[in-house]
Structure formats: C-alpha cells, structure tokens
C-alpha cells in the first residue's frame, strides 16, 4: 500500500472525501460503487466489480470460444482484462477508449485493447450491462475479440452480444 500523505477527517455523517488527484490516479468516477473491507484496524475501499464473482464462468466462456472459433476473446470488467486464455493479458489495464465505451455502454470496433502501446486491437467489443443488453443498466465490462487475420461477420458479433447479455444477467441476479 502506498502512502499519499493526505489526511481527511470524517464528517458528522461518517463521510470521507477522496481527493480529486487520488480519484483520478485510480480512475474513480462520480457514482462508481465502492466495496468496503475491514482488515484489523484498516478500512479499505475498492471499486466494486459485479462480474468479479463470475470470473470462473468468464474463463470457461473464453476457453470455449478459443477452442471452437480459434480466435482470442477476453472478458473485461470496467478497468482490466479479467478472463483470457493468454495469461500475458490477464489483469492488464484497458485502454482509455475501451473504458470510455464501457462507461457509455456503446459496442465498438477497432480500438486499442490495453493501456500503453501494446499493439493489441479490439476488433469488436460487446459491452456488458448490469442487467440485460437492452436494459438501462450501467456498463460493467466487455466481451472483446482481439483482431485476427480474417474479419469477423455478424454471426460472431451476435455470439459476443449473447455472452455479454448472459454475463450482465448473471451480475444482476445478486
């Protein structure tokens, strides 16, 4: 854990303001859900990921897709790759463009997959919404196809949208 040197007081309602520079550094936005952990005398805040508890199902989907389609697909939460056959991509941060697409709940094509200049391109990303794809739920992740040698058709996009809908419905059953 890295010390910031910033001290804040708890107000009469039990609130603590997280400084703007800290929110920016860890990519917190207004309205982001936070999970609270207690470890001894420490209170730890962590950005809540509703897909986190379904990481095994996400990994199985990724393995199945890879085995049948012979293409690399990833499942992401709002910030990082959470399921991948390629272990070098697991837990890597997403590009700003992909995070913005998730936040805006907009399926996208041909954008950088990861932060930094890795060269990995998301050929298509179907956004996972909290609830079904036709709901007004928040964007909570994406099913992302990595750019390959041959272009994809509408059938593969539909399969990815179905996976995104399924994961969104799972996350919404809590």
């Amino acid at each position: 854990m890295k010390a910031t040197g910033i001290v804040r007081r708890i107000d009469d309602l039990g609130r603590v303001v997280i400084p703007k520079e800290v929110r920016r550094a860890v990519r917190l936005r207004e309205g982001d859900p936070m999970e609270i952990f207690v470890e001894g005398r420490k209170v730890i805040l962590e950005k809540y990921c509703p897909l986190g508890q379904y990481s095994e199902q996400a990994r199985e989907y990724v393995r199945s897709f890879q085995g049948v389609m012979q293409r690399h697909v990833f499942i992401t939460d709002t910030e990082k790759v959470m399921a991948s056959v390629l272990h070098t991509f697991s837990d890597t941060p997403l590009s700003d463009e992909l995070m913005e697409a998730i936040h805006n709940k907009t399926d996208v094509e041909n954008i950088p997959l990861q932060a930094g200049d890795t060269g990995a391109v998301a050929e298509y990303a179907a956004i996972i919404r909290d609830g079904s794809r036709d709901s007004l739920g928040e964007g909570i992740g994406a099913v992302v196809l990595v750019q390959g040698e041959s272009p994809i058709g509408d059938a593969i996009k539909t399969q990815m949208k179905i996976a995104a809908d399924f994961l969104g419905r799972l996350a919404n059953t809590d």
Side-chain angles (χ1 to χ4, degrees):
M1 204 173 332
K2 183 179 172 185
T4 63
I6 300 170
V7 176
R8 292 286 195 238
R9 294 197 182 275
I10 298 174
D11 72 10
D12 59 338
L13 295 176
R15 297 176 297 197
V16 176
V17 175
I18 301 171
K20 191 175 198 173
E21 56 271 14
V22 173
R23 292 192 316 262
R24 192 175 293 140
V26 296
R27 297 180 170 187
L28 287 177
R29 296 179 184 201
E30 182 181 333
D32 281 347
M34 301 297 292
E35 194 166 9
I36 302 169
F37 298 92
V38 177
E39 187 178 287
R41 293 180 42 115
K42 294 179 184 176
V43 176
I44 301 167
L45 295 175
E46 188 173 291
K47 194 171 182 180
Y48 175 68
C49 173
L51 289 175
Q53 61 188 327
Y54 301 107
S55 59
E56 189 54 41
Q57 289 92 330
R59 278 192 289 280
E60 287 304 318
Y61 173 80
V62 165
R63 286 186 199 114
S64 295
F65 192 95
Q66 169 71 26
V68 173
M69 303 302 291
Q70 300 297 305
R71 294 286 299 267
H72 296 296
V73 68
F74 300 96
I75 308 290
T76 77
D77 60 19
T78 57
E79 297 181 340
K80 66 185 179 322
V81 174
M82 61 177 278
S84 166
V85 173
L86 303 171
H87 297 291
T88 55
F89 285 102
S90 293
D91 291 325
T92 56
L94 303 180
S95 68
D96 289 338
E97 294 92 335
L98 185 50
M99 286 194 303
E100 193 64 30
I102 293 168
H103 179 74
N104 292 333
K105 301 178 280 189
T106 307
D107 294 349
V108 290
E109 297 185 32
N110 300 315
I111 63 168
L113 171 63
Q114 296 174 287
D117 189 19
T118 64
V121 172
E123 185 169 344
Y124 183 73
I127 304 307
I128 303 168
R129 292 183 184 90
D130 186 17
S132 65
R133 282 187 51 84
D134 56 353
S135 77
L136 298 175
E138 294 295 314
I140 58 172
V143 179
V144 180
L145 182 72
V146 178
Q147 193 167 44
E149 293 179 18
S150 58
I152 63 169
D154 290 338
I156 292 178
K157 288 180 185 179
T158 300
Q159 290 172 346
M160 294 173 66
K161 289 176 184 180
I162 291 168
D165 185 74
F166 175 73
L167 288 167
R169 288 173 191 266
L170 269 181
N172 194 253
T173 59
D174 298 337

